[in-house]
Amino acid sequence: MNDPAQPRPPWLRLPLRQSITARLVLMSAASALFIFALAGIVLYTVLKGELMRHERDGLFTTLNDISYQISRAGNTERWGRVQLKLATLTQADQHVSFWIDGKDPRFTFGDLTHLHASHITEDDGKSVGRLHLPGRQYPVHIMTRTLPAFEERPEVQVTVGVDGAPYFEMRRTFLLATTVFSLLGIVLAVISSYWIARAGLAPLRRMSARAQNFTPRKLSARMPVESLPEELSVLADAFNGALGRIQEAYTQLEAFNADVAHELRTPLANLIGETQVALARERSAGEFKGVLQSNLEELDRIRSIINDMLFLARSDQGEAATARVPARLADEVQKTVDFFEFLLDDASMIITVAGDTDATAMMETALFKRALSNLIQNAIQHSPVGALIRIDIASQEETVRVAVTNPGAAIDEQHLPRLFDRFYRVDSARQDINGSHGHGLGLAIVKAVARMHGGRAFAYSTGGHNSIGFTIARD
Ligand SMILES: Nc1ncnc2c1ncn2[C@@H]1O[C@H](COP(=O)(O)OP(=O)(O)OP(=O)(O)O)[C@@H](O)[C@H]1O
Ligand SMILES: [Mg+2]
């Protein structure tokens, strides 16, 4: 298997990475080359064998024919007839030659000097040999047989030869034709695979062209999956899924930006308004002090929004609570509750801490207290005067759970899952005890703190009591 982590060798990397078309063309050229080369080699070997067999059969038949007559020629008179017959045969077919060699020069035939001087090689070790005659481009195929002495004639060696030129010419022509045909075939394979690749990749090109039209303004546009081939529809589906998620994130970001602008606009408008009124006429030092005091409150508000936003942004980027220490939850809860002593007194409210007061967990205590403060603040803000607020601590399998419960108007089902969204307020027009309304970031921070501790936030509203809390991982 190809290991994707293994880099390809450079000679393979360039053309293959550049384009799928180039890749397909290269592959089909390589396979065409292989197929044509293989077919050429097989055909050439078969043809060569068949031609040789044909030559051998011809030589064998001719050798048989004349051997019969030579074996019976035992005197010069009969030999004369043999010579005449051989001369006639040679004249009739220019490609055939005969040589008869023996001790007695009367019973010989043909130009034996060439036969003796020439270089004879056995073809494949079989009975057909090759005779290289001077001045001839191709060797002559020969077959030799020894005939025993008869009457006056001594033992002779009969050799039949056939000119190898047609045989070699045919082999050469075939080789040339096969090579030309193969090259043509490869060129055709390259051209056709180029067109096939282009036609096959047309849907991909259409898809890219469509994808180029997607802009932040047209985020609702989707790739049409039905008109695409099966293989690409999987890709288009994945692409559409990614687009959907981007659209969601983008919409959220836009809403978030609008919220930030909106939240900052009010305190800024207050600041500007107050400053303008203050500057409109002469004021005493005391009056200016009052204005600056009020401005400072607005500036504080802006700073707290910005701080909360920065904290949420860091948590969004995956920042976890790193400075975690083991702590007893009941202790941290009590410290936080103590902080609200005066506020509780003012509203004649009481907070009780109940549940598993021995529970411990690894936590960044400052973050834990910040989240719990937000919950207590909300509980105080949304409870009637003299209410009893309960904080429950519970140990679960891998987490510990803190819930702040206060009596109050039920929170509608539809709001519950959205309470933890940034800037989300059930009734944004409603003002709290201080006459100002919150930013809607308190519960978003609770959710972020829970996530940074490997837990989650939750909210219930039953029987006139609202329970909002969070879990954190034990370790
Ligand atoms: N204990 C509760 N009882 C009833 N409603 C609640 C309670 N806690 C939160 N809510 C609702 O959830 C909304 C979001 O709360 P969150 O703490 O995020 O924002 P906030 O209190 O309005 O502003 P901030 O906490 O940033 O000053 C609140 O506006 C309120 O409508
Ligand atoms: Mg709040």
Side-chain angles (χ1 to χ4, degrees), residues 364-378:
E364 206 167 298
T365 49
L367 290 182
F368 178 86
K369 284 194 274 195
R370 187 173 179 180
L372 190 64
S373 293
N374 287 351
L375 292 177
I376 295 173
Q377 224 166 24
N378 282 350

Side-chain angles (χ1 to χ4, degrees), residues 378-379 382 406 411 419 424-426 438-443 466 468:
N378 282 350
H382 296 97
N406 66 286
I411 306 170
L419 290 185
Y424 190 79
R425 289 182 296 247
V426 174
H439 323 136
L441 288 175
L443 290 184
N466 295 321
I468 305 181

